C-alpha cells in the first residue's frame, strides 16, 4: 500500500476532521497546508528552514520541472527528494492547471495538450500518459491525474467537456501509472455546476483512487461560490480517503475548507505575498513595506513565536524590503509559512479537543481580513 489515510477524530458540529496520511516518506497530520515549491524549491526557504517551521509535505510542479531542468536530470539525480534534499513527503501537481494558466496554449484535444513553453517558446505536448510518466520519474509520494481545469467563468458546455476529458484522462493516468511507491490522486472538476460536480465525482470515485482533489476552484470565482461548491462536492467523496482542495489559500479559506471536510491545501499565497512585503498576522494583513512601519519596532506579529518575530522588527524588515535585500524576502516568507503551518496545528488541536467551531469564530473575529 503506497499510501494510507486514517481519520483520527471527527468534529461533532462541522465536517472538520483530524487525520493521518501515511506516505513512503513519512506521516502527515491533517488538515495540512502544503508550501508550494514549484521549481523544486519553496522560494527563499532551505529544506532545513522548512523543517524548522514544521512543514510536513510540500508541493512541486510537473509542468515546470518537465520544462526545466527536465525529468531525466531529476531522475538521474536520484529523484526529486534527493535532488532538492527534502526527505519528507512531496506531492506533484500534474501540469493540468499550469499548462492552461501559464503556457501559450496551441491546441487541446482528447489526446492531450500542445503548447509553447512560457520559458523559451519551444513547442511541447503533454498527455495523461506523459504527465504520469514524468511524475513517476520525479518520484513524488503523491502524483496528480492530468486533468482539464476550465477557467472561471466558463459555460456549462465548456465545463461539461472538461469533465468528460478529465474522467477519460483519469482512466488513462491510472492505466499508465506503474509506481508502487507513489499514490495517484484523482481530481474532481465540474466548475460551479452541481450536476457536473456530481457526474465528475461519480466517474472518479468509480476508479477508486487512494485520494481525491477538488479542482477547478480558486480560479477567480467569488469565495462564497467556492464554499457553495464545497458544501455539495465534499460529501460526494469517500470519507475514508484524503480530500485535497487545490490552490487554497488564505487563513479564512483554510478555516472554511477544514469546516467543510477538506484535509489538504496548497497555495502560493504566503510565499508570493511575502515577496510583495505583505505579512500574515493574527490581526490581519500587515503591508510591512508601508511607510507607517518605518519606526515600528514591534515584530511582524506580536503574538507569533517564530524565529523572525523573536528577533526582527517591522522597521528592519521594511528597510530590507525597500532596499531590495534578499533577507527581507526570506524573513517575510519564513514568517508567513510559519503562520499558516501554525494555524493548521492550532486547527488540529481544536478539532481533537472539541472546540474547533469556537476557535474558527474567535480567529476570524481577530483576523479582520483587512490591512492593519
Ligand atoms: C489564487 O491563487 C492563484 O490561483 C492559483 C491557485 N488556484 C488553483 N486552482 C487550481 C486548480 C487546479 C486544478 O483544477 N487541477 C490541477 N491539476 N491543479 C490545480 C491547481 C490550482 N491552483 C495560484 O497559482 C495563483 O495564481
Amino acid at each position: 500500500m503506497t499510501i494510507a489515510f486514517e481519520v483520527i477524530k471527527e468534529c461533532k458540529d462541522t465536517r472538520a476532521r483530524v487525520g493521518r496520511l501515511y506516505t513512503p516518506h513519512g506521516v502527515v497530520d491533517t488538515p495540512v497546508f502544503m508550501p508550494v515549491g514549484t521549481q523544486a524549491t519553496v522560494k527563499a526557504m532551505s529544506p532545513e528552514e522548512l523543517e524548522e517551521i514544521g512543514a510536513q509535505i510540500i508541493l512541486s510542479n510537473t509542468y515546470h520541472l518537465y520544462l526545466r531542468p527536465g525529468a531525466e536530470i531529476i531522475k538521474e539525480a536520484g529523484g526529486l527528494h534527493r535532488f532538492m534534499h527534502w526527505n519528507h513527503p512531496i506531492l506533484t501537481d500534474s501540469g493540468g492547471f499550469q499548462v492552461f494558466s501559464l503556457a501559450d496554449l496551441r491546441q487541446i484535444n482528447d489526446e492531450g495538450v500542445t503548447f509553447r513553453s512560457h520559458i523559451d517558446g519551444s513547442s511541447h505536448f503533454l498527455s495523461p500518459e506523459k504527465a504520469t510518466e514524468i511524475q513517476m520519474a520525479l518520484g513524488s509520494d503523491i502524483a496528480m491525474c492530468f486533468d482539464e481545469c476550465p477557467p472561471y467563468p466558463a459555460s456549462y458546455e465548456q465545463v461539461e467537456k472538461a469533465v468528460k476529458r478529465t474522467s477519460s484522462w483519469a482512466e488513462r493516468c491510472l492505466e499508465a501509472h506503474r509506481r508502487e511507491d507513489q499514490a495517484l490522486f484523482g481530481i474532481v472538476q465540474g466548475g460551479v455546476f452541481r450536476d457536473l460536480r456530481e457526474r465528475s465525482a461519480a466517474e472518479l470515485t468509480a476508479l477508486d483512487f487512494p485520494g481525491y482533489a477538488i479542482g477547478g476552484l480558486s480560479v477567480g470565482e467569488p469565495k462564497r461560490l467556492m464554499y457553495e461548491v464545497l458544501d455539495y462536492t465534499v460529501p460526494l467523496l469517500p470519507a475514508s480517503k484524503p480530500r485535497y482542495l487545490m490552490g487554497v489559500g488564505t487563513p479564512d479559506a483554510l478555516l472554511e475548507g477544514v469546516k467543510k471536510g477538506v484535509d489538504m491545501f496548497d497555495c502560493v499565497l504566503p510565499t508570493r505575498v511575502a515577496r510583495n512585503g505583505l505579512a500574515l498576522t493574527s490581526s490581519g494583513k500587515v503591508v510591512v513595506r508601508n511607510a507607517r512601519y518605518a519606526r515600528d519596532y514591534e515584530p511582524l506579529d506580536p503574538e507569533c513565536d517564530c524565529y523572525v518575530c523573536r528577533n526582527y522588527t517591522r522597521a528592519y524588515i521594511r528597510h530590507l524590503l525597500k532596499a531590495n535585500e534578499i533577507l527581507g524576502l526570506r524573513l517575510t516568507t519564513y514568517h508567513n509559512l510559519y503562520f499558516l503551518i501554525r494555524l493548521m496545528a492550532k486547527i488540529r488541536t481544536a478539532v481533537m479537543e472539541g472546540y474547533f467551531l469556537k476557535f474558527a469564530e474567535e480567529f476570524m473575529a481577530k483576523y479582520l481580513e483587512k490591512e492593519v
Side-chain angles (χ1 to χ4, degrees), residues 186-235:
I187 305 178
V188 174
Q189 291 294 341
V192 295
F193 303 103
R194 182 164 189 159
D195 62 321
L196 294 180
R197 284 283 172 187
E198 287 165 351
R199 188 189 309 176
S200 182
E203 289 169 353
L204 288 169
T205 49
L207 297 172
D208 197 21
F209 287 102
Y212 289 92
I214 298 169
L217 291 176
S218 189
V219 287
E221 77 285 357
K223 264 184 189 168
R224 100 194 123 63
L225 207 40
M226 175 169 81
Y227 296 154
E228 211 177 285
V229 172
L230 288 177
D231 280 338
Y232 60 70
T233 304
V234 167

Side-chain angles (χ1 to χ4, degrees), residues 93-94 96-97 147 149 187 189 215-219 246-247 268 272:
D93 196 357
S94 59
F97 177 81
D147 60 330
C149 171
I187 305 178
Q189 291 294 341
L217 291 176
S218 189
V219 287
M246 305 185 91
V268 290
R272 183 177 290 176

Side-chain angles (χ1 to χ4, degrees), residues 255-273:
L255 280 166
E256 271 309 303
V258 169
K259 202 184 286 181
K260 296 174 185 306
V262 175
D263 307 299
M264 301 165 73
F265 303 85
D266 87 271
C267 192
V268 290
L269 176 107
T271 39
R272 183 177 290 176
V273 298

